[in-house]
Amino acid sequence: MSKALNTTQSEAIFAKAQTLMPGGVSSPVRAFGSVGGTPIVMAKGEGAYMTDVDGNRYIDYVLSWGPLVLGHAYPKVVDALQKAVVNGTSYGAPTAIENELAELIIEVVPSIEMVRFVNSGTEACMSALRLARAYTGRDKIIKFSGNYHGHADMLLVQAGSGVATLGLPDSPGVPQGTTAHTLVAPYNDLDAVKQLFADNPEAVAGVIIEPIAANMGFVQPQEGYLQGLHDLCREHGALFIMDEVMTGFRVAVGGAQEAYGVDPDITCLGKVIGGGLPVGAYGGKKEIMAHVAPAGTMYQAGTLSGNPLAMTGGLTTIQELASDGVFASIAEKAEQFANGMRAIADKLNVPMQVGQQGTMFGFYFLKEANAVISNYDDAKAYADTERYGKFFHLMLAEGVYLAPSQFEAGFMSHVHNETDIQNTLEAAERSISKIVG
Ligand SMILES: *Cc1c(COP(=O)(O)O)cnc(C)c1O
């Protein structure tokens, strides 16, 4: 039963926000640009739920775009943060807790031997590329269309996420010179990368990839693709950089590199690594990381980097996630949800592509029954964004908060329960029936 959603307060607050901040938001995808309507203004997060300023409650599958793998205000995390905050929020000096989080990351993420903390995924990716360029003495980088690595100038070329949502081919304000060294290949196409290496001999510093492309929806790498990229990098003296800002601690505790058994030179982390506080990191082989200042000459710094509050959020979250059975149970729920969506699509005869791995999932409504989406061009051609927009709003009215864009992934948490998932699937079946009925 779909209730009409009362959004009086949300609308009033968002109307004012638009006079104060560009588009009324602090980050573009939140503005509902691709699904239409007015963004819901949130007041509180608790477990698997968010409550908006009008008192509507939603089962949340956005989870702050991934970080909240334990759900909102997880008691152990809240306790640890409360204990930490009374000792001050930042010192701008070394702390012991940085060691603790660094040790844990080095322990769980297979390829990382040394790590540098930053404040966001954007910083992690732009720093990783600077490092690859410093290390190799080369300028060019290869990225993939529909992959999003944050909003650094050189990476804002055929990017996914909000760039895909808004349909911006690029962004004004990015000088051509900045992106002149950025080469772009389609995802899941090894030959295209071979060609780029051949056309740019001894010029490519690194290849950066989202091991699962989750900023253009949810596209998994084809068999052997990641290893093939790794091997091409080796062959041509370039570094292989896995942007695990989203997949890190989500596809497996050790990220996609653990799940696929691939050994990147540099890994970018973000999102879950802060447990809901702003943290990013890049890490890799000691020999490469030794080039970062002050150990080496590649400069990169941050006033608030490694601050004790953010480190506490990340440490407590990843410790809990890595404890017995926790990750597996979240992954099981994500699988159950994905299977449920597939069953609904079959039953109602609605063409959908549903993907899931670890604690992440994603689904496309397809414009054509037999279409398969395996890269960004496919996603743009076959994803039925209009249908997704309708579905999104019907689900919102049912009390389910999904990403306000077809080109984003969904996330499961430790605290979503059987009933939440059942209720979500029932709501999805009612909503899809209405759309196709
Ligand atoms: C979210 C994301 C980023 C950017 O991280 P921010 O913390 O938003 O700067 C980079 N890469 C990937 C794969 C992401 O999903």
Side-chain angles (χ1 to χ4, degrees):
M1 278 230 307
S2 139
K3 57 196 183 309
L5 207 53
N6 174 13
T7 56
T8 317
Q9 293 297 326
S10 268
E11 281 167 45
I13 293 169
F14 190 68
K16 178 151 189 201
Q18 286 175 292
T19 70
L20 302 169
M21 298 175 283
V25 291
S26 299
S27 190
V29 267
R30 298 177 197 172
F32 281 23
S34 78
V35 291
T38 308
I40 305 296
V41 178
M42 294 301 171
K44 183 179 165 139
E46 193 180 9
Y49 316 108
M50 285 199 293
T51 305
D52 71 16
V53 288
D54 291 285
N56 305 300
R57 194 171 89 147
Y58 310 89
I59 308 173
D60 181 17
Y61 294 97
V62 180
L63 297 171
S64 191
W65 303 89
L68 305 177
V69 72
L70 304 176
H72 293 269
Y74 191 72
K76 275 188 196 170
V77 176
V78 171
D79 274 0
L81 288 173
Q82 279 173 338
K83 288 202 179 92
V85 75
V86 294
N87 292 323
T89 51
S90 186
Y91 314 136
T95 56
I97 193 169
E98 289 166 270
N99 288 9
E100 285 190 66
L101 184 56
E103 266 186 330
L104 182 57
I105 287 162
I106 290 163
E107 183 192 323
V108 302
V109 183
S111 71
I112 296 186
E113 297 172 359
M114 200 173 251
V115 66
R116 164 61 60 86
F117 292 113
V118 293
N119 302 292
S120 69
T122 295
E123 272 186 78
C125 294
M126 63 179 235
S127 307
L129 287 177
R130 185 179 302 149
L131 178 56
R133 286 167 160 167
Y135 181 80
T136 59
R138 299 172 175 182
D139 285 340
K140 295 201 186 297
I141 55 164
I142 296 176
K143 81 174 284 287
F144 299 89
S145 49
N147 277 198
Y148 180 67
H149 305 291
H151 62 85
D153 282 358
M154 67 208 162
L155 287 164
L156 226 40
V157 184
Q158 297 193 32
S161 191
V163 189
T165 303
L166 296 171
L168 300 177
D170 257 325
S171 169
V174 177
Q176 285 214 316
T178 317
T179 55
H181 297 299
T182 307
L183 310 170
V184 183
Y187 193 79
N188 270 328
D189 181 349
L190 212 47
D191 285 338
V193 177
K194 254 181 218 160
Q195 193 58 51
L196 286 177
F197 271 119
D199 294 345
N200 298 273
E202 307 203 357
V204 178
V207 172
I208 185 167
I209 188 162
E210 282 186 69
I212 290 176
N215 281 290
M216 56 173 165
F218 191 87
V219 176
Q220 285 159 293
Q222 287 162 0
E223 179 88 37
Y225 177 60
L226 296 174
Q227 186 62 43
L229 289 174
H230 167 277
D231 296 348
L232 277 175
C233 286
R234 282 283 177 285
E235 188 184 322
H236 294 278
L239 298 189
F240 186 47
I241 305 165
M242 273 166 84
D243 176 359
E244 299 233 43
V245 170
M246 200 189 299
T247 53
F249 317 102
R250 276 235 170 244
V251 164
V253 178
Q257 58 194 267
E258 178 190 326
Y260 289 93
V262 177
D263 185 36
D265 299 298
I266 306 177
T267 300
C268 307
L269 296 169
K271 300 197 166 111
V272 171
I273 199 181
L277 279 86
V279 183
Y282 60 103
K285 309 294 171 205
K286 265 191 186 153
E287 189 239 331
I288 298 170
M289 292 303 288
H291 290 252
V292 178
T297 53
M298 186 219 87
Y299 194 71
Q300 184 273 308
T303 301
L304 293 170
S305 295
N307 75 77
L309 205 59
M311 294 292 101
T312 300
L315 181 65
T316 317
T317 298
I318 297 169
Q319 277 172 338
E320 184 77 348
L321 183 70
S323 61
D324 266 357
V326 172
F327 184 90
S329 79
I330 310 172
E332 205 173 294
K333 287 181 282 186
E335 188 178 3
Q336 184 190 343
F337 177 68
N339 287 340
M341 288 299 288
R342 284 189 193 103
I344 292 166
D346 282 350
K347 180 174 164 188
L348 300 177
N349 203 15
V350 175
M352 284 182 83
Q353 177 173 321
V354 182
Q356 174 266 332
Q357 200 167 338
T359 67
M360 293 169 61
F361 60 83
F363 49 86
Y364 294 102
F365 286 96
L366 298 172
K367 285 179 184 162
E368 288 173 28
N370 296 315
V372 176
I373 295 177
S374 60
N375 63 34
Y376 192 38
D377 281 345
D378 296 340
K380 284 188 290 190
Y382 300 125
D384 191 336
T385 51
E386 201 176 306
R387 200 165 252 195
Y388 184 84
K390 285 183 192 156
F391 179 69
F392 170 83
H393 282 289
L394 288 166
M395 290 298 273
L396 211 51
E398 291 268 8
V400 178
Y401 195 75
L402 298 166
S405 165
Q406 172 88 105
F407 300 116
E408 301 285 353
F411 303 96
M412 191 61 72
S413 88
H414 189 32
V415 294
H416 283 75
N417 63 32
E418 208 57 40
T419 312
D420 296 326
I421 296 170
Q422 222 39 58
N423 287 345
T424 304
L425 289 171
E426 284 166 22
E429 183 166 346
R430 280 191 296 270
S431 300
I432 296 176
S433 300
K434 274 184 201 156
I435 294 169
V436 297

PDB file of all heavy atoms in Angstrom, residues 27 65 119-123 125 148-151 161 210 212 214-215 243-247 268 270-271 279, ligand 1:
ATOM      1  N   SER A  27      26.664  18.230  -2.763  1.00  0.00           N
ATOM      2  CA  SER A  27      27.198  17.312  -3.770  1.00  0.00           C
ATOM      3  C   SER A  27      26.072  17.013  -4.767  1.00  0.00           C
ATOM      4  O   SER A  27      24.935  16.770  -4.343  1.00  0.00           O
ATOM      5  CB  SER A  27      27.703  16.041  -3.088  1.00  0.00           C
ATOM      6  OG  SER A  27      28.438  15.234  -3.984  1.00  0.00           O
ATOM      7  N   TRP A  65      26.091   6.644   0.519  1.00  0.00           N
ATOM      8  CA  TRP A  65      26.805   6.246  -0.698  1.00  0.00           C
ATOM      9  C   TRP A  65      27.868   5.194  -0.421  1.00  0.00           C
ATOM     10  O   TRP A  65      28.903   5.147  -1.093  1.00  0.00           O
ATOM     11  CB  TRP A  65      27.366   7.455  -1.463  1.00  0.00           C
ATOM     12  CG  TRP A  65      26.278   8.407  -1.810  1.00  0.00           C
ATOM     13  CD1 TRP A  65      25.817   9.444  -1.049  1.00  0.00           C
ATOM     14  CD2 TRP A  65      25.443   8.384  -2.985  1.00  0.00           C
ATOM     15  NE1 TRP A  65      24.761  10.063  -1.665  1.00  0.00           N
ATOM     16  CE2 TRP A  65      24.506   9.431  -2.863  1.00  0.00           C
ATOM     17  CE3 TRP A  65      25.395   7.565  -4.123  1.00  0.00           C
ATOM     18  CZ2 TRP A  65      23.541   9.703  -3.824  1.00  0.00           C
ATOM     19  CZ3 TRP A  65      24.434   7.844  -5.083  1.00  0.00           C
ATOM     20  CH2 TRP A  65      23.519   8.905  -4.929  1.00  0.00           C
ATOM     21  N   ASN A 119      41.630  12.767   3.081  1.00  0.00           N
ATOM     22  CA  ASN A 119      40.296  13.062   3.623  1.00  0.00           C
ATOM     23  C   ASN A 119      39.132  12.657   2.729  1.00  0.00           C
ATOM     24  O   ASN A 119      37.980  12.798   3.127  1.00  0.00           O
ATOM     25  CB  ASN A 119      40.183  14.561   3.920  1.00  0.00           C
ATOM     26  CG  ASN A 119      41.251  15.011   4.880  1.00  0.00           C
ATOM     27  OD1 ASN A 119      41.250  14.637   6.046  1.00  0.00           O
ATOM     28  ND2 ASN A 119      42.193  15.792   4.379  1.00  0.00           N
ATOM     29  N   SER A 120      39.413  12.198   1.515  1.00  0.00           N
ATOM     30  CA  SER A 120      38.321  11.821   0.621  1.00  0.00           C
ATOM     31  C   SER A 120      38.847  10.898  -0.470  1.00  0.00           C
ATOM     32  O   SER A 120      40.068  10.789  -0.678  1.00  0.00           O
ATOM     33  CB  SER A 120      37.703  13.063  -0.043  1.00  0.00           C
ATOM     34  OG  SER A 120      38.632  13.632  -0.950  1.00  0.00           O
ATOM     35  N   GLY A 121      37.918  10.270  -1.161  1.00  0.00           N
ATOM     36  CA  GLY A 121      38.280   9.419  -2.282  1.00  0.00           C
ATOM     37  C   GLY A 121      38.908  10.215  -3.416  1.00  0.00           C
ATOM     38  O   GLY A 121      39.822   9.750  -4.101  1.00  0.00           O
ATOM     39  N   THR A 122      38.409  11.429  -3.609  1.00  0.00           N
ATOM     40  CA  THR A 122      38.972  12.312  -4.634  1.00  0.00           C
ATOM     41  C   THR A 122      40.461  12.524  -4.397  1.00  0.00           C
ATOM     42  O   THR A 122      41.292  12.377  -5.307  1.00  0.00           O
ATOM     43  CB  THR A 122      38.251  13.687  -4.622  1.00  0.00           C
ATOM     44  OG1 THR A 122      36.889  13.491  -4.998  1.00  0.00           O
ATOM     45  CG2 THR A 122      38.909  14.680  -5.553  1.00  0.00           C
ATOM     46  N   GLU A 123      40.787  12.870  -3.166  1.00  0.00           N
ATOM     47  CA  GLU A 123      42.198  13.086  -2.819  1.00  0.00           C
ATOM     48  C   GLU A 123      43.027  11.827  -3.012  1.00  0.00           C
ATOM     49  O   GLU A 123      44.181  11.891  -3.458  1.00  0.00           O
ATOM     50  CB  GLU A 123      42.307  13.484  -1.342  1.00  0.00           C
ATOM     51  CG  GLU A 123      42.185  14.941  -1.068  1.00  0.00           C
ATOM     52  CD  GLU A 123      42.455  15.198   0.402  1.00  0.00           C
ATOM     53  OE1 GLU A 123      43.636  15.212   0.802  1.00  0.00           O
ATOM     54  OE2 GLU A 123      41.492  15.372   1.164  1.00  0.00           O
ATOM     55  N   CYS A 125      42.578   9.376  -5.122  1.00  0.00           N
ATOM     56  CA  CYS A 125      42.820   9.068  -6.541  1.00  0.00           C
ATOM     57  C   CYS A 125      43.781  10.068  -7.178  1.00  0.00           C
ATOM     58  O   CYS A 125      44.674   9.683  -7.930  1.00  0.00           O
ATOM     59  CB  CYS A 125      41.498   9.040  -7.307  1.00  0.00           C
ATOM     60  SG  CYS A 125      40.423   7.694  -6.780  1.00  0.00           S
ATOM     61  N   TYR A 148      34.290   6.587 -12.273  1.00  0.00           N
ATOM     62  CA  TYR A 148      34.415   7.846 -11.540  1.00  0.00           C
ATOM     63  C   TYR A 148      35.515   7.714 -10.496  1.00  0.00           C
ATOM     64  O   TYR A 148      35.544   6.739  -9.749  1.00  0.00           O
ATOM     65  CB  TYR A 148      33.096   8.183 -10.846  1.00  0.00           C
ATOM     66  CG  TYR A 148      33.109   9.475 -10.055  1.00  0.00           C
ATOM     67  CD1 TYR A 148      33.233  10.703 -10.690  1.00  0.00           C
ATOM     68  CD2 TYR A 148      32.978   9.470  -8.666  1.00  0.00           C
ATOM     69  CE1 TYR A 148      33.241  11.888  -9.966  1.00  0.00           C
ATOM     70  CE2 TYR A 148      32.985  10.655  -7.936  1.00  0.00           C
ATOM     71  CZ  TYR A 148      33.106  11.857  -8.585  1.00  0.00           C
ATOM     72  OH  TYR A 148      33.111  13.032  -7.862  1.00  0.00           O
ATOM     73  N   HIS A 149      36.417   8.696 -10.487  1.00  0.00           N
ATOM     74  CA  HIS A 149      37.511   8.653  -9.518  1.00  0.00           C
ATOM     75  C   HIS A 149      37.577   9.951  -8.720  1.00  0.00           C
ATOM     76  O   HIS A 149      38.646  10.395  -8.331  1.00  0.00           O
ATOM     77  CB  HIS A 149      38.846   8.412 -10.230  1.00  0.00           C
ATOM     78  CG  HIS A 149      38.849   7.183 -11.089  1.00  0.00           C
ATOM     79  ND1 HIS A 149      38.795   5.912 -10.571  1.00  0.00           N
ATOM     80  CD2 HIS A 149      38.854   7.042 -12.445  1.00  0.00           C
ATOM     81  CE1 HIS A 149      38.785   5.026 -11.568  1.00  0.00           C
ATOM     82  NE2 HIS A 149      38.830   5.688 -12.717  1.00  0.00           N
ATOM     83  N   GLY A 150      36.416  10.580  -8.506  1.00  0.00           N
ATOM     84  CA  GLY A 150      36.410  11.858  -7.822  1.00  0.00           C
ATOM     85  C   GLY A 150      36.519  12.984  -8.832  1.00  0.00           C
ATOM     86  O   GLY A 150      36.564  12.752 -10.039  1.00  0.00           O
ATOM     87  N   HIS A 151      36.571  14.220  -8.330  1.00  0.00           N
ATOM     88  CA  HIS A 151      36.409  15.359  -9.240  1.00  0.00           C
ATOM     89  C   HIS A 151      37.694  16.107  -9.563  1.00  0.00           C
ATOM     90  O   HIS A 151      37.671  17.261  -9.969  1.00  0.00           O
ATOM     91  CB  HIS A 151      35.347  16.316  -8.682  1.00  0.00           C
ATOM     92  CG  HIS A 151      35.721  16.899  -7.344  1.00  0.00           C
ATOM     93  ND1 HIS A 151      36.502  18.013  -7.237  1.00  0.00           N
ATOM     94  CD2 HIS A 151      35.445  16.504  -6.088  1.00  0.00           C
ATOM     95  CE1 HIS A 151      36.676  18.287  -5.956  1.00  0.00           C
ATOM     96  NE2 HIS A 151      36.056  17.384  -5.237  1.00  0.00           N
ATOM     97  N   SER A 161      29.048   8.500 -12.159  1.00  0.00           N
ATOM     98  CA  SER A 161      28.394   9.112 -11.007  1.00  0.00           C
ATOM     99  C   SER A 161      27.588  10.344 -11.398  1.00  0.00           C
ATOM    100  O   SER A 161      26.839  10.314 -12.350  1.00  0.00           O
ATOM    101  CB  SER A 161      29.415   9.449  -9.927  1.00  0.00           C
ATOM    102  OG  SER A 161      28.762   9.808  -8.727  1.00  0.00           O
ATOM    103  N   GLU A 210      38.024   1.313 -11.685  1.00  0.00           N
ATOM    104  CA  GLU A 210      37.116   0.796 -10.669  1.00  0.00           C
ATOM    105  C   GLU A 210      36.970  -0.692 -10.957  1.00  0.00           C
ATOM    106  O   GLU A 210      36.425  -1.057 -12.003  1.00  0.00           O
ATOM    107  CB  GLU A 210      35.729   1.413 -10.817  1.00  0.00           C
ATOM    108  CG  GLU A 210      35.547   2.806 -10.293  1.00  0.00           C
ATOM    109  CD  GLU A 210      34.073   3.212 -10.375  1.00  0.00           C
ATOM    110  OE1 GLU A 210      33.253   2.666  -9.637  1.00  0.00           O
ATOM    111  OE2 GLU A 210      33.744   4.064 -11.211  1.00  0.00           O
ATOM    112  N   ILE A 212      35.023  -2.964  -9.956  1.00  0.00           N
ATOM    113  CA  ILE A 212      33.634  -3.137 -10.386  1.00  0.00           C
ATOM    114  C   ILE A 212      33.162  -1.729 -10.702  1.00  0.00           C
ATOM    115  O   ILE A 212      33.353  -0.822  -9.894  1.00  0.00           O
ATOM    116  CB  ILE A 212      32.762  -3.753  -9.272  1.00  0.00           C
ATOM    117  CG1 ILE A 212      33.154  -5.212  -9.045  1.00  0.00           C
ATOM    118  CG2 ILE A 212      31.276  -3.656  -9.624  1.00  0.00           C
ATOM    119  CD1 ILE A 212      32.420  -5.883  -7.903  1.00  0.00           C
ATOM    120  N   ALA A 214      30.907   0.865 -10.554  1.00  0.00           N
ATOM    121  CA  ALA A 214      29.681   1.089  -9.778  1.00  0.00           C
ATOM    122  C   ALA A 214      29.273   2.553  -9.759  1.00  0.00           C
ATOM    123  O   ALA A 214      28.437   2.960  -8.965  1.00  0.00           O
ATOM    124  CB  ALA A 214      29.880   0.563  -8.368  1.00  0.00           C
ATOM    125  N   ASN A 215      29.859   3.341 -10.666  1.00  0.00           N
ATOM    126  CA  ASN A 215      29.420   4.724 -10.824  1.00  0.00           C
ATOM    127  C   ASN A 215      28.736   4.925 -12.178  1.00  0.00           C
ATOM    128  O   ASN A 215      28.486   6.043 -12.602  1.00  0.00           O
ATOM    129  CB  ASN A 215      30.594   5.683 -10.658  1.00  0.00           C
ATOM    130  CG  ASN A 215      30.940   5.896  -9.180  1.00  0.00           C
ATOM    131  OD1 ASN A 215      30.183   6.525  -8.448  1.00  0.00           O
ATOM    132  ND2 ASN A 215      32.063   5.360  -8.743  1.00  0.00           N
ATOM    133  N   ASP A 243      41.115   1.608  -8.032  1.00  0.00           N
ATOM    134  CA  ASP A 243      40.332   2.551  -7.235  1.00  0.00           C
ATOM    135  C   ASP A 243      39.267   1.749  -6.495  1.00  0.00           C
ATOM    136  O   ASP A 243      38.211   1.449  -7.039  1.00  0.00           O
ATOM    137  CB  ASP A 243      39.704   3.614  -8.144  1.00  0.00           C
ATOM    138  CG  ASP A 243      38.801   4.569  -7.362  1.00  0.00           C
ATOM    139  OD1 ASP A 243      38.663   4.383  -6.128  1.00  0.00           O
ATOM    140  OD2 ASP A 243      38.233   5.484  -7.989  1.00  0.00           O
ATOM    141  N   GLU A 244      39.595   1.422  -5.257  1.00  0.00           N
ATOM    142  CA  GLU A 244      38.674   0.633  -4.425  1.00  0.00           C
ATOM    143  C   GLU A 244      37.954   1.529  -3.413  1.00  0.00           C
ATOM    144  O   GLU A 244      37.609   1.085  -2.321  1.00  0.00           O
ATOM    145  CB  GLU A 244      39.438  -0.489  -3.713  1.00  0.00           C
ATOM    146  CG  GLU A 244      40.093  -1.476  -4.664  1.00  0.00           C
ATOM    147  CD  GLU A 244      39.708  -2.924  -4.353  1.00  0.00           C
ATOM    148  OE1 GLU A 244      38.519  -3.201  -4.082  1.00  0.00           O
ATOM    149  OE2 GLU A 244      40.619  -3.764  -4.388  1.00  0.00           O
ATOM    150  N   VAL A 245      37.772   2.797  -3.788  1.00  0.00           N
ATOM    151  CA  VAL A 245      37.071   3.714  -2.885  1.00  0.00           C
ATOM    152  C   VAL A 245      35.682   3.145  -2.561  1.00  0.00           C
ATOM    153  O   VAL A 245      35.235   3.202  -1.414  1.00  0.00           O
ATOM    154  CB  VAL A 245      36.973   5.125  -3.501  1.00  0.00           C
ATOM    155  CG1 VAL A 245      36.030   6.017  -2.697  1.00  0.00           C
ATOM    156  CG2 VAL A 245      38.361   5.769  -3.559  1.00  0.00           C
ATOM    157  N   MET A 246      35.022   2.564  -3.552  1.00  0.00           N
ATOM    158  CA  MET A 246      33.701   1.988  -3.279  1.00  0.00           C
ATOM    159  C   MET A 246      33.760   0.496  -2.976  1.00  0.00           C
ATOM    160  O   MET A 246      33.081  -0.003  -2.089  1.00  0.00           O
ATOM    161  CB  MET A 246      32.748   2.241  -4.450  1.00  0.00           C
ATOM    162  CG  MET A 246      31.309   2.111  -3.996  1.00  0.00           C
ATOM    163  SD  MET A 246      30.089   2.120  -5.301  1.00  0.00           S
ATOM    164  CE  MET A 246      30.322   3.688  -6.060  1.00  0.00           C
ATOM    165  N   THR A 247      34.583  -0.244  -3.709  1.00  0.00           N
ATOM    166  CA  THR A 247      34.608  -1.705  -3.538  1.00  0.00           C
ATOM    167  C   THR A 247      35.404  -2.138  -2.311  1.00  0.00           C
ATOM    168  O   THR A 247      35.231  -3.257  -1.822  1.00  0.00           O
ATOM    169  CB  THR A 247      35.228  -2.365  -4.781  1.00  0.00           C
ATOM    170  OG1 THR A 247      36.502  -1.754  -5.044  1.00  0.00           O
ATOM    171  CG2 THR A 247      34.342  -2.201  -6.000  1.00  0.00           C
ATOM    172  N   CYS A 268      43.415   2.787  -4.092  1.00  0.00           N
ATOM    173  CA  CYS A 268      42.774   3.969  -3.526  1.00  0.00           C
ATOM    174  C   CYS A 268      41.609   3.514  -2.649  1.00  0.00           C
ATOM    175  O   CYS A 268      40.832   2.645  -3.053  1.00  0.00           O
ATOM    176  CB  CYS A 268      42.218   4.873  -4.626  1.00  0.00           C
ATOM    177  SG  CYS A 268      43.431   5.311  -5.871  1.00  0.00           S
ATOM    178  N   GLY A 270      38.434   4.815   0.288  1.00  0.00           N
ATOM    179  CA  GLY A 270      37.594   5.910   0.773  1.00  0.00           C
ATOM    180  C   GLY A 270      36.344   5.300   1.388  1.00  0.00           C
ATOM    181  O   GLY A 270      36.344   4.129   1.757  1.00  0.00           O
ATOM    182  N   LYS A 271      35.304   6.068   1.466  1.00  0.00           N
ATOM    183  CA  LYS A 271      34.000   5.564   1.917  1.00  0.00           C
ATOM    184  C   LYS A 271      34.073   4.719   3.204  1.00  0.00           C
ATOM    185  O   LYS A 271      34.280   5.291   4.267  1.00  0.00           O
ATOM    186  CB  LYS A 271      33.292   4.876   0.760  1.00  0.00           C
ATOM    187  CG  LYS A 271      33.081   5.889  -0.389  1.00  0.00           C
ATOM    188  CD  LYS A 271      32.080   5.561  -1.455  1.00  0.00           C
ATOM    189  CE  LYS A 271      31.781   6.799  -2.285  1.00  0.00           C
ATOM    190  NZ  LYS A 271      32.247   6.804  -3.650  1.00  0.00           N
ATOM    191  N   VAL A 279      37.354  10.135   5.418  1.00  0.00           N
ATOM    192  CA  VAL A 279      38.686   9.534   5.325  1.00  0.00           C
ATOM    193  C   VAL A 279      38.877   8.950   3.929  1.00  0.00           C
ATOM    194  O   VAL A 279      37.940   8.400   3.348  1.00  0.00           O
ATOM    195  CB  VAL A 279      38.887   8.380   6.348  1.00  0.00           C
ATOM    196  CG1 VAL A 279      40.322   7.820   6.271  1.00  0.00           C
ATOM    197  CG2 VAL A 279      38.594   8.834   7.773  1.00  0.00           C
TER     198      VAL A 279
HETATM  199  C1  LIG B   1      33.011   7.968  -4.360  1.00  0.00           C
HETATM  200  C2  LIG B   1      34.137   7.598  -5.229  1.00  0.00           C
HETATM  201  C3  LIG B   1      35.257   8.436  -5.368  1.00  0.00           C
HETATM  202  C4  LIG B   1      35.320   9.806  -4.783  1.00  0.00           C
HETATM  203  O1  LIG B   1      35.315   9.791  -3.387  1.00  0.00           O
HETATM  204  P1  LIG B   1      34.890  11.124  -2.587  1.00  0.00           P
HETATM  205  O2  LIG B   1      35.095  10.744  -1.154  1.00  0.00           O
HETATM  206  O3  LIG B   1      33.469  11.398  -2.951  1.00  0.00           O
HETATM  207  O4  LIG B   1      35.801  12.205  -3.024  1.00  0.00           O
HETATM  208  C5  LIG B   1      36.327   7.963  -6.099  1.00  0.00           C
HETATM  209  N1  LIG B   1      36.302   6.762  -6.669  1.00  0.00           N
HETATM  210  C6  LIG B   1      35.243   5.935  -6.559  1.00  0.00           C
HETATM  211  C7  LIG B   1      35.286   4.591  -7.204  1.00  0.00           C
HETATM  212  C8  LIG B   1      34.119   6.328  -5.850  1.00  0.00           C
HETATM  213  O5  LIG B   1      33.060   5.535  -5.786  1.00  0.00           O
END
